[in-house]
Amino acid sequence: MVRTKQTAKKSTGGEAPRIVIKIIPRLQSAADTALHRPVRSKPLDAPLTPIPDRSCPVAMLTAPSSRDGRVNNDFCHMCGDGGHLYTCDSCPRAACHHCICIPAQHAALVLSDGVRFTCVSCHWRDDVRSGKVSPYVGFYRNGLSVLPEFPTINGDFQLPIHSAISCRKTIVIHLCVHTLPAGGPMLMLQEFLQPYFKHSGELIVRTISFNLTTGATRKQYQQEAAMIAAEIGDIRGANVLITLTSHSEDDRGDIMIGMSRRMKVEVASTVETVLDTLLTPFKRITAGSLFVMFACGAIVNNPSSFDQFCKAITRFNFASAIAFDAVRLLPSSCWPFLVFLAEAVFIEEHDLQIAIPHALGNSNKLGLHSGIYVLTRTTGSLEITRFFWAHRDFRPWGYRLPVQCLVCGTPQQWQRKLGDDFSYTFECRYTRCGQDPVSGEVVQRRGYVEVKKPEGVKTILQGKTRHSGWLSVQVSK
C-alpha cells in the first residue's frame, strides 16, 4: 500500500599589532578523509502555475515511513508543512493530504497492497523527459491508476518544483573570537533550521570561542576542537557548514585572534596561520563542505591576505567559501542571506551556485552594507565570483558615490548624465561649486564623478528592480 507518515507542523575591526603563532601539531590524523555530501545538488526552477482550489474530504492515514531503507521527507514538498503525508516511491519527497486530496470513499483504495505513490514533481519530470503531457493520477498498481478519478491538487507550489525538504544530518561549526559576544546570525540559523529536524535527521550546532594569543590558550582550543570533531561521528551523507567570526586588521588584512593580557590590546596574525590553527582539528570534515568568513573586508581587499585565504580554502578542500568585503562588517546584516542560503542548499538540496542569486535577491539590505566573494573549487583551480549591489542614482555599477562633493563640500544628491557604453557622469548640484567664494569667478570645474561599466559584469535577475539589483563579475586572482 502507499507509504504515509505523520509529522508535526512546523562588526567591528581596526588596527592591531601582529604576533606570530607557533603551530601546535593537531590531535587527529591529517590523513582522515571526508565522506559527507558535497555542497552541490539540483537546480532551482520556476514554480508550477497554481492549480485552482477545489475542496474535498480528507483521508486520515498512517503507515511506515520508508521502504527499502530509504527515509522520505518529513514535510510536504508543495506547501512546506507537515501533517498526514503521502511519501513518494520515486524520490524522497512527500505530499500532505491537504495538497493531494483523496475523497474519503476512495481512501481504502490507496491504502491497499501494492499501491505506489508518485508526487507531482516526479510526474512533471517524467512528462518533460518523455515530451508528452498527461493527467496526474498519483496512485498506481502495476502501472495503472487505482482511483476512478484523478485526485484533486489543492496545494500550490510555494517551493520550486525541484525542491525537496530534506532532514539529512547537518553539522554547523561556528568558530568565534572570544572578544565577540555569542549568538548573532548563527543563533538565528540554528533556530530557523531546528524545526526541520523534529522527527528525523540530526542537526548538530557547536560554537567554539577561541583565544590564540598564548600557547596555553591555543592548546585549550585544540583540545576542545578535537573533542567536538570526535563527537560529530559519522559524516557520510551529511551537510557541513563551518563559519568563522572575528575582527580583521585594517592595513594587512590579518585575522584578530584575541585580547593579549601582556599587551593589553587585541592582536592579530596572518590569515594563513590563523586558518591552519583553527581548521586543522576539523580536517576530517572540511573536504566538500562550505566555509563562511564573517570578518571585515580587509581580508579580501588586501591582495596578500586574500591570496592566503584562497590557498587555505584549497588546502582544506572546501567545496566553496564565502567572504564579505564591507570595510566594517556587521554580521547581523548577513543573517537573511545566510538563512535563505542554508535553507536552499541544506534543506531543499539545490546547487550552491544557483541558490546564491536567490539568496541575494532576498537580501537587498545586505547589498547596501557589503558585497560578497564566492570561491568555488573546481578541478585544478579556484573560481572566484564577486557579487555586489548597484543602484542607478547612488551606487552606479556598484561604485559608492561620495556623500559630499570633494570641491565644495556639499552633501550630495548628484545630477546624473548617461554617456557612451553605459558610463555615467555625476555632477555637483550646488550652483556655486567651483567658484571663488569672494569674487564668484569660476576657478575650477564643478565637482564631478565619472563611472564606467566594469568589464564582464552580469546582472542578477533575482531581486532586480527598475533602478537597482545585484551584479556579478568573475575575479582573476
Side-chain angles (χ1 to χ4, degrees):
M1 70 181 186
V2 169
R3 297 177 296 118
T4 66
K5 60 163 65 174
Q6 171 71 49
T7 63
K9 306 290 184 184
K10 53 165 188 142
S11 159
T12 54
E15 298 179 356
R18 174 187 287 181
I19 67 171
V20 177
I21 296 178
K22 182 179 179 181
I23 302 296
I24 300 175
R26 82 187 195 90
L27 304 180
Q28 293 186 353
S29 170
D32 293 335
T33 57
L35 297 173
H36 62 83
R37 186 180 76 89
V39 185
R40 291 192 64 83
S41 191
K42 312 162 192 171
L44 267 90
D45 288 285
L48 290 178
T49 303
I51 299 176
D53 180 50
R54 290 178 290 176
S55 60
C56 63
V58 172
M60 307 299 287
L61 306 173
T62 57
S65 61
S66 63
R67 175 180 288 165
D68 300 329
R70 184 185 64 206
V71 177
N72 285 81
N73 298 164
D74 288 334
F75 299 93
C76 175
H77 76 112
M78 297 180 68
C79 68
D81 205 352
H84 301 284
L85 303 176
Y86 303 106
T87 55
C88 183
D89 287 282
S90 301
C91 75
R93 298 182 182 89
C96 73
H97 68 280
H98 290 300
C99 293
I100 305 295
C101 185
I102 306 298
Q105 63 268 28
H106 300 320
L109 294 177
V110 301
L111 288 174
S112 57
D113 292 338
V115 177
R116 299 174 65 86
F117 173 65
T118 300
C119 68
V120 179
S121 289
C122 287
H123 178 86
W124 178 86
R125 177 204 62 198
D126 293 342
D127 276 359
V128 170
R129 289 178 177 176
S130 66
K132 301 178 181 179
V133 178
S134 60
Y136 177 69
V137 177
F139 299 88
Y140 300 88
R141 182 190 292 114
N142 299 325
L144 301 175
S145 172
V146 299
L147 296 174
E149 56 186 280
F150 59 83
T152 302
I153 303 177
N154 280 333
D156 58 4
F157 276 89
Q158 300 177 25
L159 301 172
I161 184 69
H162 285 302
S163 289
I165 302 186
S166 171
C167 54
R168 71 169 71 242
K169 184 175 182 179
T170 298
I171 302 164
V172 179
I173 298 174
H174 182 211
L175 310 176
C176 181
V177 68
H178 73 104
T179 55
L180 288 175
M186 302 312 300
L187 181 59
M188 298 177 188
L189 178 62
Q190 180 178 3
E191 292 294 325
F192 178 82
L193 292 178
Q194 191 64 59
Y196 287 107
F197 297 86
K198 184 172 183 179
H199 303 282
S200 59
E202 185 178 7
L203 176 64
I204 300 175
V205 180
R206 297 291 182 269
T207 297
I208 305 180
S209 180
F210 64 84
N211 179 358
L212 306 181
T213 56
T214 67
T217 56
R218 290 194 289 274
K219 184 176 181 180
Q220 179 182 353
Y221 167 80
Q222 295 276 348
Q223 292 173 342
E224 185 176 357
M227 290 178 59
I228 291 178
E231 173 194 352
I232 289 172
D234 187 9
I235 61 172
R236 287 175 294 182
N239 302 307
V240 179
L241 168 65
I242 300 178
T243 66
L244 170 58
T245 303
S246 182
H247 311 293
S248 63
E249 200 279 332
D250 287 345
D251 296 328
R252 299 182 300 271
D254 292 347
I255 299 176
M256 296 195 185
I257 58 174
M259 181 71 70
S260 171
R261 293 184 178 180
R262 180 176 61 85
M263 303 174 67
K264 306 300 182 184
V265 294
E266 278 197 274
V267 295
S269 193
T270 62
V271 172
E272 178 182 17
T273 303
V274 175
L275 293 183
D276 279 351
T277 303
L278 294 176
L279 297 177
T280 295
F282 299 105
K283 194 168 185 179
R284 178 174 67 92
I285 66 175
T286 57
S289 64
L290 172 63
F291 181 75
V292 180
M293 183 77 183
F294 292 106
C296 299
I299 292 177
V300 296
N301 297 330
N302 181 289
S304 176
S305 60
F306 187 51
D307 181 65
Q308 295 175 51
F309 181 74
C310 294
K311 289 179 179 178
I313 298 306
T314 302
R315 188 162 56 253
F316 284 95
N317 295 317
F318 284 102
S320 298
I322 297 173
F324 301 86
D325 64 7
V327 176
R328 291 286 182 271
L329 182 70
L330 301 174
S332 58
S333 298
C334 307
W335 77 264
F337 168 75
L338 178 65
V339 166
F340 192 94
L341 186 67
E343 182 183 38
V345 175
F346 294 155
I347 304 300
E348 298 177 9
E349 298 191 336
H350 295 300
D351 181 271
L352 178 74
Q353 298 302 315
I354 299 178
I356 281 179
H358 286 263
L360 291 174
N362 287 270
S363 310
N364 280 346
K365 185 176 180 180
L366 170 64
L368 288 167
H369 178 59
S370 178
I372 72 168
Y373 282 73
V374 178
L375 289 68
T376 304
R377 192 165 54 86
T378 59
T379 305
S381 64
L382 195 65
E383 292 184 359
I384 304 171
T385 305
R386 176 178 170 243
F387 295 87
F388 52 97
W389 189 79
H391 190 284
R392 184 194 65 178
D393 297 326
F394 58 87
R395 191 78 67 81
W397 299 118
Y399 176 80
R400 296 173 183 264
L401 291 178
V403 176
Q404 68 175 169
C405 175
L406 301 180
V407 174
C408 65
T410 304
Q412 287 296 306
Q413 286 188 350
W414 296 92
Q415 183 175 355
R416 174 179 49 83
K417 296 181 180 179
L418 179 62
D420 298 332
D421 299 325
F422 297 99
S423 62
Y424 292 99
T425 300
F426 294 83
E427 289 190 345
C428 177
R429 290 178 179 268
Y430 180 46
T431 56
R432 300 187 62 184
C433 181
Q435 298 180 9
D436 184 276
V438 178
S439 65
E441 295 181 1
V442 177
V443 295
Q444 59 177 310
R445 179 179 174 178
R446 180 182 295 185
Y448 72 98
V449 178
E450 292 183 342
V451 181
K452 295 183 178 181
K453 180 181 179 180
E455 293 185 5
V457 69
K458 297 181 180 179
T459 301
I460 305 299
L461 298 180
Q462 292 80 1
K464 184 181 182 299
T465 67
R466 182 179 179 184
H467 300 312
S468 66
W470 285 89
L471 306 174
S472 69
V473 65
Q474 294 295 121
V475 177
S476 56
K477 205 167 59 66

